[in-house]
Amino acid sequence: MATINDNYLKLKAGYLFPEIARRVNAFVEANPDAKVIRLGIGDVTEPLPAACREAMVKAVEDMGDRDSFKGYGPEQGYAWLREKIAAHDFQSRGCDIDASEIFISDGSKCDCGNILDIFGNDNAIAVTDPVYPVYVDTNVMAGHTGDINDKGEYDRLVYLPVTAENNFTAEIPTQKVDLIYLCFPNNPTGATATREHLQAWVDYARANGSIIFFDAAYEAFITDPNIPHSIYEIEGAKECAIEFRSFSKNAGFTGTRCALTVVPKNLIGKAKDGSPVEIWKLWNRRQATKFNGVSYIVQRGAEAVYSEQGQAQVKELVAFYLENATIIRTKLSEAGLDVYGGVNAPYVWVKTPSGLTSWDFFDKLLHACNVVGTPGSGFGAAGEGYFRISAFNSRDNVNEAMTRILSKFK
Ligand SMILES: *Cc1c(COP(=O)(O)O)cnc(C)c1O
């Protein structure tokens, strides 16, 4: 009989979102008239910018004409898109990133998992706690961890707790780790990183020969000019960091699918025999072999994000969600709750009141206010006692949810 990848058996059964759905469904069944507002899942709600839609309609027309029809494109993405990204997202901020170092893909979630293809199985890996679960689960699947304990921690992973006590900033580890996942602005805590914090990580990585996986999926939500948008704004980062970006959260491409990964040419890893190897060459080979590029139509849609009209529309979209976040922060504070994040980020991270667990607070909000959020403990052991509220929703839903919470908690 065919054997399977046993590492999959180590995965904690997809617990968080199914359990949320189970509790919400049970509540709705018992209370069919309740108007439940979901501020839980991290998906966008507003339609695609007009500039992107128009560009995609035109691209469909291109596909209908023998002269402009496109078959397989470059596996790395079309040069016209990579060049716009390099100029607009990186060079304009003083980052020395070339178009050839940008790889277009169908999602940052996929890239975060796929990148492990080109790294060894004996690396020490650090993640923050709480964390975006994809970083952990893809390492479990790849056999980079041992078993899970009762707290939900996998053996062999290094967890760096982030809580209100350390201002949601992980301490630089004292032990040596080889791969480090950082996400700023952060999902789930909504925290951002200062230039000094990122410099400390880059210095650590260079001193230890480590590589940082920097997830910048939410960089468009940064409005404070002092907060770096890219790890490459930090001196030395080109020698130690891979950056993941996505059109999902800035331009609403969660269902359209387009993202990018930056692999600098001076990034070096070590082969078993100790010889240095260019990471870029491995990723280029990996993509050319296992991936056939993002659809021409979708890449034209992503390109339109960089037009004058596209820029204005994306700014407006992001500002809309940020205003939601401000409303959530303000109202929850008025309700007497301790709130974090929600500035330069679309997530508000709430301390659960009076010692309630994350799931206690979930039940309380669901039953008293008919509002659904995400229990912080679902993102890691150190998320216990916290709760994530997402700003991705209509203004009406946000206002209504906050009115209900204020009436019950104040
Ligand atoms: C939403 C999100 C992404 C984007 O993923 P896509 O696959 O590009 O949609 C990446 N990282 C984090 C932490 C996210 O929350």
Side-chain angles (χ1 to χ4, degrees), residues 101-136:
E101 298 173 306
I102 293 170
F103 294 82
I104 308 300
S105 80
D106 59 347
S108 280
K109 181 178 179 175
C110 332
D111 284 353
C112 284
N114 292 338
I115 199 80
L116 296 177
D117 265 20
I118 62 168
F119 288 93
N121 290 322
D122 44 6
N123 288 309
I125 297 161
V127 293
T128 61
D129 174 11
V131 70
Y132 181 52
V134 173
Y135 311 151
V136 172

Side-chain angles (χ1 to χ4, degrees), residues 302-356:
E303 182 192 28
V305 164
Y306 298 99
S307 68
E308 200 181 318
Q309 195 199 7
Q311 281 292 292
Q313 290 164 359
V314 165
K315 266 211 181 82
E316 197 180 328
L317 205 49
V318 167
F320 170 78
Y321 292 127
L322 281 174
E323 177 66 20
N324 281 349
T326 302
I327 294 169
I328 294 168
R329 269 184 67 89
T330 312
K331 295 295 176 187
L332 294 183
S333 299
E334 273 177 44
L337 296 165
D338 290 329
V339 297
Y340 306 94
V343 183
N344 303 297
Y347 296 115
V348 178
W349 191 239
V350 186
K351 184 89 192 85
T352 59
S354 46
L356 295 180

Side-chain angles (χ1 to χ4, degrees), residues 204-216:
Y204 170 89
R206 289 172 78 194
N208 291 284
S210 343
I211 290 181
I212 296 169
F213 293 154
F214 191 77
D215 186 341

Side-chain angles (χ1 to χ4, degrees), residues 42 106-110 112 132 135 183 187 215 217-218 245-249 253-254 257-259 347:
D106 59 347
S108 280
K109 181 178 179 175
C110 332
C112 284
Y132 181 52
Y135 311 151
C183 174
N187 177 12
D215 186 341
Y218 297 97
R245 286 206 180 193
S246 174
F247 294 95
S248 283
K249 310 296 165 38
F253 272 48
T254 53
R257 312 304 304 145
C258 197
Y347 296 115

